[in-house]
Amino acid sequence: ILCKCKYNDLNNIDNKIISLIDSNNYPDLYVIKPDGSSIKKGQLIDLQKEYSNKSLLDNKRIYIIGGKTQARSLAESLNMKKYDVTVINKDEKFCQRIAEVEGINVVLGDGCRVDVLQDADTFNCDVAIAMNDHDADNLIVCQVCKKIFGVKKTVAVVSDSNRTSLFYQMGVDSVVCTTGAITSILEQQ
């Protein structure tokens, strides 16, 4: 636990040094109680990243990228199950509507773009679900999330069942094809 203390509580550090640190003249240093030792800001950021996605319920951070009706339905369902849900979508009206749902984070932007995913803090994402209209966009999203942001699990929705094996070969963890699922159900009957 990082906590700030009164200057007179520290025996071995000059109060002038502490006041310089506190006044942000040295933003890379922090004073840690009780012994007054300092650590680099980068170390705190590393600790924050390590523990930031661990809540009291240890919920996964799930990002839903693209999509419309199905994306909204999935986001609401996951939100009700207490997952930390972020929706990234380039449709402004869609984002405005889903932002009305309490507990769902919304980012307006094209989820195929690295800068949008970076602004959305995708480094802390556990599961990325790509639900764009175009299969190629979903493949791009999954690859960027996995290779650049280190997302642990990627899921892509595809419309063409012939592309399923390609997506797996390209490193997508799970591929969902509604046409393939419906075809399987029909073949089982």
Side-chain angles (χ1 to χ4, degrees), residues 104-149:
I104 296 178
N105 306 306
V106 180
V107 175
L108 174 63
D110 184 352
C112 293
R113 295 178 45 125
V114 174
D115 60 328
V116 171
L117 293 170
Q118 186 170 0
D119 290 345
D121 195 26
T122 307
F123 284 111
N124 290 312
C125 174
D126 295 305
V127 180
I129 304 169
M131 301 184 77
N132 292 293
D133 293 333
H134 302 287
D135 292 354
D137 290 343
N138 292 335
L139 179 60
I140 290 168
V141 167
C142 288
Q143 287 189 314
V144 167
C145 285
K146 185 155 294 268
K147 293 181 180 181
I148 295 178
F149 296 99

Coordinates of all heavy atoms in Angstrom, one line a residue, residues 104-149:
I104 N -21.5 -0.2 -18.5 CA -20.8 -0.5 -19.8 C -20.0 0.7 -20.2 O -20.5 1.8 -20.4 CB -21.8 -0.9 -20.9 CG1 -22.5 -2.2 -20.5 CG2 -21.1 -1.1 -22.2 CD1 -23.6 -2.7 -21.5
N105 N -18.7 0.4 -20.4 CA -17.8 1.5 -20.9 C -17.9 1.5 -22.4 O -18.0 0.5 -23.1 CB -16.3 1.2 -20.5 CG -16.2 0.9 -19.1 OD1 -16.5 1.8 -18.2 ND2 -15.6 -0.2 -18.7
V106 N -17.9 2.7 -23.0 CA -18.0 2.9 -24.4 C -16.9 3.7 -25.0 O -16.6 4.8 -24.4 CB -19.4 3.5 -24.7 CG1 -19.6 3.7 -26.2 CG2 -20.5 2.7 -24.2
V107 N -16.3 3.3 -26.1 CA -15.3 4.0 -26.8 C -15.8 4.2 -28.2 O -16.0 3.2 -28.9 CB -13.9 3.3 -26.8 CG1 -12.9 4.0 -27.6 CG2 -13.5 3.1 -25.3
L108 N -15.8 5.4 -28.7 CA -16.2 5.7 -30.1 C -15.0 5.7 -30.9 O -14.0 6.5 -30.7 CB -16.9 7.1 -30.1 CG -17.2 7.6 -31.5 CD1 -18.2 6.7 -32.2 CD2 -17.7 9.1 -31.5
G109 N -14.9 4.8 -31.9 CA -13.8 4.7 -32.8 C -13.8 3.4 -33.5 O -14.5 2.5 -33.2
D110 N -12.9 3.3 -34.5 CA -12.7 2.1 -35.3 C -11.8 1.2 -34.6 O -10.6 1.4 -34.5 CB -12.2 2.5 -36.7 CG -12.1 1.4 -37.7 OD1 -12.3 0.2 -37.2 OD2 -11.7 1.6 -38.8
G111 N -12.3 0.1 -34.2 CA -11.6 -0.9 -33.4 C -10.5 -1.6 -34.2 O -9.7 -2.4 -33.7
C112 N -10.4 -1.4 -35.5 CA -9.3 -1.9 -36.4 C -8.1 -1.1 -36.3 O -7.0 -1.5 -36.7 CB -9.8 -2.0 -37.8 SG -11.1 -3.2 -38.2
R113 N -8.2 0.1 -35.7 CA -7.1 1.0 -35.6 C -6.4 0.9 -34.2 O -7.0 0.9 -33.2 CB -7.6 2.5 -35.7 CG -8.2 2.8 -37.1 CD -8.7 4.2 -37.2 NE -7.7 5.1 -36.6 CZ -7.2 6.1 -37.2 NH1 -7.6 6.4 -38.4 NH2 -6.4 6.9 -36.5
V114 N -5.1 0.8 -34.3 CA -4.2 0.6 -33.1 C -4.4 1.7 -32.2 O -4.5 1.5 -30.9 CB -2.7 0.4 -33.5 CG1 -1.8 0.3 -32.3 CG2 -2.6 -0.9 -34.4
D115 N -4.5 3.0 -32.7 CA -4.6 4.1 -31.7 C -5.9 4.1 -31.0 O -5.9 4.5 -29.8 CB -4.4 5.4 -32.5 CG -5.4 5.7 -33.6 OD1 -5.9 4.7 -34.2 OD2 -5.8 6.8 -33.9
V116 N -6.9 3.6 -31.6 CA -8.2 3.6 -30.9 C -8.1 2.5 -29.8 O -8.6 2.7 -28.7 CB -9.4 3.2 -31.9 CG1 -10.7 2.9 -31.1 CG2 -9.6 4.4 -32.8
L117 N -7.6 1.3 -30.1 CA -7.4 0.3 -29.1 C -6.5 0.7 -28.0 O -6.7 0.4 -26.8 CB -6.9 -1.0 -29.8 CG -7.9 -1.7 -30.8 CD1 -7.2 -2.8 -31.6 CD2 -9.1 -2.2 -30.1
Q118 N -5.5 1.5 -28.3 CA -4.6 2.0 -27.3 C -5.3 2.9 -26.4 O -5.2 2.8 -25.1 CB -3.3 2.6 -27.9 CG -2.3 3.0 -26.9 CD -1.0 3.5 -27.6 OE1 -0.9 3.5 -28.8 NE2 0.0 3.9 -26.8
D119 N -6.0 3.8 -26.9 CA -6.8 4.8 -26.1 C -7.8 4.1 -25.2 O -8.2 4.6 -24.2 CB -7.5 5.8 -27.0 CG -6.6 6.8 -27.7 OD1 -5.4 6.9 -27.2 OD2 -7.0 7.5 -28.6
A120 N -8.3 2.9 -25.7 CA -9.3 2.1 -24.9 C -8.6 1.3 -23.8 O -9.3 0.5 -23.2 CB -10.1 1.3 -25.9
D121 N -7.3 1.4 -23.7 CA -6.6 0.7 -22.7 C -6.6 -0.8 -22.9 O -6.8 -1.6 -22.0 CB -7.1 1.0 -21.3 CG -6.2 0.6 -20.1 OD1 -4.9 0.5 -20.4 OD2 -6.6 0.4 -19.0
T122 N -6.5 -1.3 -24.1 CA -6.6 -2.7 -24.5 C -5.5 -3.5 -23.9 O -5.6 -4.7 -23.8 CB -6.6 -2.8 -26.0 OG1 -7.7 -2.0 -26.5 CG2 -6.9 -4.2 -26.5
F123 N -4.4 -2.9 -23.4 CA -3.4 -3.6 -22.7 C -3.9 -4.4 -21.5 O -3.4 -5.4 -21.1 CB -2.2 -2.7 -22.2 CG -1.3 -2.3 -23.3 CD1 -1.3 -0.9 -23.7 CD2 -0.4 -3.2 -23.9 CE1 -0.4 -0.5 -24.7 CE2 0.4 -2.8 -24.9 CZ 0.4 -1.4 -25.3
N124 N -5.0 -3.9 -20.9 CA -5.6 -4.5 -19.7 C -6.8 -5.3 -20.0 O -7.6 -5.7 -19.2 CB -6.0 -3.4 -18.7 CG -4.8 -2.8 -18.1 OD1 -3.9 -3.5 -17.7 ND2 -4.7 -1.4 -18.1
C125 N -7.0 -5.6 -21.3 CA -8.1 -6.5 -21.7 C -7.8 -7.9 -21.6 O -6.7 -8.4 -21.9 CB -8.4 -6.1 -23.2 SG -9.7 -7.2 -24.0
D126 N -8.8 -8.7 -21.1 CA -8.6 -10.2 -21.0 C -9.1 -10.9 -22.2 O -8.5 -11.9 -22.6 CB -9.3 -10.7 -19.7 CG -8.7 -10.2 -18.5 OD1 -7.5 -10.3 -18.3 OD2 -9.4 -9.5 -17.6
V127 N -10.3 -10.5 -22.7 CA -10.9 -11.1 -23.8 C -11.4 -10.1 -24.8 O -12.1 -9.1 -24.4 CB -12.2 -12.0 -23.4 CG1 -12.8 -12.6 -24.5 CG2 -11.8 -13.0 -22.3
A128 N -11.0 -10.2 -26.1 CA -11.5 -9.3 -27.1 C -12.4 -10.1 -28.1 O -12.0 -11.1 -28.6 CB -10.3 -8.7 -27.9
I129 N -13.6 -9.6 -28.3 CA -14.6 -10.2 -29.1 C -14.8 -9.3 -30.3 O -15.3 -8.2 -30.1 CB -15.9 -10.5 -28.4 CG1 -15.6 -11.3 -27.1 CG2 -16.9 -11.1 -29.3 CD1 -16.8 -11.4 -26.2
A130 N -14.4 -9.7 -31.5 CA -14.6 -8.9 -32.7 C -15.9 -9.3 -33.4 O -16.1 -10.5 -33.8 CB -13.4 -9.2 -33.6
M131 N -16.8 -8.3 -33.5 CA -18.1 -8.6 -34.1 C -18.4 -7.6 -35.3 O -19.6 -7.3 -35.5 CB -19.2 -8.4 -33.0 CG -19.0 -9.3 -31.8 SD -20.3 -9.2 -30.6 CE -21.6 -10.1 -31.4
N132 N -17.4 -7.2 -36.0 CA -17.7 -6.3 -37.1 C -18.4 -7.0 -38.3 O -18.5 -8.3 -38.3 CB -16.3 -5.8 -37.7 CG -15.6 -4.9 -36.7 OD1 -16.1 -3.8 -36.5 ND2 -14.5 -5.3 -36.2
D133 N -19.0 -6.3 -39.2 CA -19.7 -6.9 -40.3 C -18.8 -7.6 -41.3 O -19.3 -8.5 -42.0 CB -20.4 -5.7 -41.1 CG -21.5 -5.1 -40.2 OD1 -22.1 -5.8 -39.3 OD2 -21.8 -3.9 -40.5
H134 N -17.6 -7.3 -41.4 CA -16.7 -7.9 -42.3 C -15.7 -8.8 -41.6 O -15.0 -8.4 -40.7 CB -15.9 -6.8 -43.1 CG -16.8 -5.9 -43.9 ND1 -17.5 -6.3 -45.0 CD2 -17.2 -4.6 -43.6 CE1 -18.3 -5.2 -45.4 NE2 -18.1 -4.2 -44.6
D135 N -15.6 -10.1 -42.1 CA -14.7 -11.1 -41.5 C -13.3 -10.6 -41.5 O -12.6 -10.8 -40.5 CB -14.8 -12.4 -42.3 CG -16.1 -13.1 -42.2 OD1 -17.0 -12.6 -41.4 OD2 -16.3 -14.1 -42.9
A136 N -12.8 -9.9 -42.5 CA -11.4 -9.4 -42.5 C -11.1 -8.5 -41.4 O -10.1 -8.5 -40.8 CB -11.1 -8.8 -43.9
D137 N -12.1 -7.6 -41.1 CA -11.9 -6.6 -40.0 C -11.8 -7.4 -38.7 O -11.0 -7.0 -37.8 CB -13.1 -5.7 -39.9 CG -13.1 -4.7 -41.1 OD1 -12.1 -4.5 -41.7 OD2 -14.2 -4.1 -41.3
N138 N -12.6 -8.4 -38.5 CA -12.5 -9.2 -37.3 C -11.2 -9.9 -37.1 O -10.7 -10.0 -36.0 CB -13.7 -10.2 -37.2 CG -15.0 -9.5 -37.0 OD1 -15.1 -8.4 -36.5 ND2 -16.1 -10.1 -37.5
L139 N -10.6 -10.4 -38.2 CA -9.3 -11.0 -38.2 C -8.3 -10.0 -37.8 O -7.4 -10.3 -36.9 CB -9.0 -11.7 -39.5 CG -7.6 -12.3 -39.6 CD1 -7.5 -13.5 -38.6 CD2 -7.4 -12.9 -41.0
I140 N -8.3 -8.8 -38.3 CA -7.4 -7.7 -38.0 C -7.5 -7.4 -36.5 O -6.5 -7.3 -35.8 CB -7.6 -6.5 -38.9 CG1 -7.2 -6.8 -40.3 CG2 -6.9 -5.3 -38.3 CD1 -7.7 -5.7 -41.3
V141 N -8.7 -7.2 -36.1 CA -8.9 -6.8 -34.6 C -8.3 -7.9 -33.7 O -7.5 -7.6 -32.8 CB -10.4 -6.7 -34.3 CG1 -10.6 -6.6 -32.8 CG2 -10.9 -5.4 -35.0
C142 N -8.6 -9.2 -34.0 CA -8.0 -10.2 -33.1 C -6.5 -10.3 -33.2 O -5.9 -10.5 -32.1 CB -8.6 -11.6 -33.6 SG -10.4 -11.7 -33.1
Q143 N -5.9 -10.2 -34.3 CA -4.5 -10.2 -34.4 C -3.8 -9.0 -33.7 O -2.8 -9.2 -33.0 CB -4.0 -10.3 -35.9 CG -4.3 -11.6 -36.5 CD -3.7 -11.8 -37.9 OE1 -3.8 -10.9 -38.7 NE2 -3.0 -12.9 -38.1
V144 N -4.4 -7.8 -33.9 CA -3.8 -6.6 -33.3 C -3.9 -6.8 -31.7 O -3.0 -6.5 -31.0 CB -4.5 -5.4 -33.8 CG1 -4.1 -4.2 -32.9 CG2 -4.1 -5.1 -35.2
C145 N -5.1 -7.2 -31.3 CA -5.3 -7.4 -29.8 C -4.3 -8.4 -29.2 O -3.7 -8.1 -28.2 CB -6.7 -7.8 -29.5 SG -7.9 -6.5 -29.7
K146 N -4.1 -9.5 -29.9 CA -3.2 -10.5 -29.4 C -1.7 -10.1 -29.5 O -1.0 -10.2 -28.6 CB -3.5 -11.8 -30.1 CG -2.7 -13.0 -29.5 CD -3.2 -14.3 -29.7 CE -4.5 -14.6 -29.1 NZ -4.5 -15.2 -27.8
K147 N -1.3 -9.7 -30.7 CA 0.1 -9.5 -31.0 C 0.6 -8.1 -30.4 O 1.8 -8.1 -30.0 CB 0.4 -9.6 -32.4 CG 0.2 -11.0 -32.9 CD 0.4 -11.2 -34.4 CE 0.2 -12.6 -34.8 NZ 0.5 -12.9 -36.2
I148 N -0.2 -7.1 -30.5 CA 0.3 -5.8 -30.0 C 0.0 -5.5 -28.5 O 0.8 -5.0 -27.8 CB -0.2 -4.6 -30.9 CG1 0.3 -4.8 -32.3 CG2 0.1 -3.3 -30.3 CD1 -0.2 -3.8 -33.3
F149 N -1.2 -5.9 -28.2 CA -1.7 -5.6 -26.8 C -1.7 -6.8 -25.8 O -1.9 -6.6 -24.7 CB -3.1 -5.0 -26.9 CG -3.2 -3.7 -27.6 CD1 -3.6 -3.6 -28.9 CD2 -2.8 -2.5 -27.0 CE1 -3.6 -2.4 -29.6 CE2 -2.8 -1.3 -27.6 CZ -3.2 -1.3 -28.9

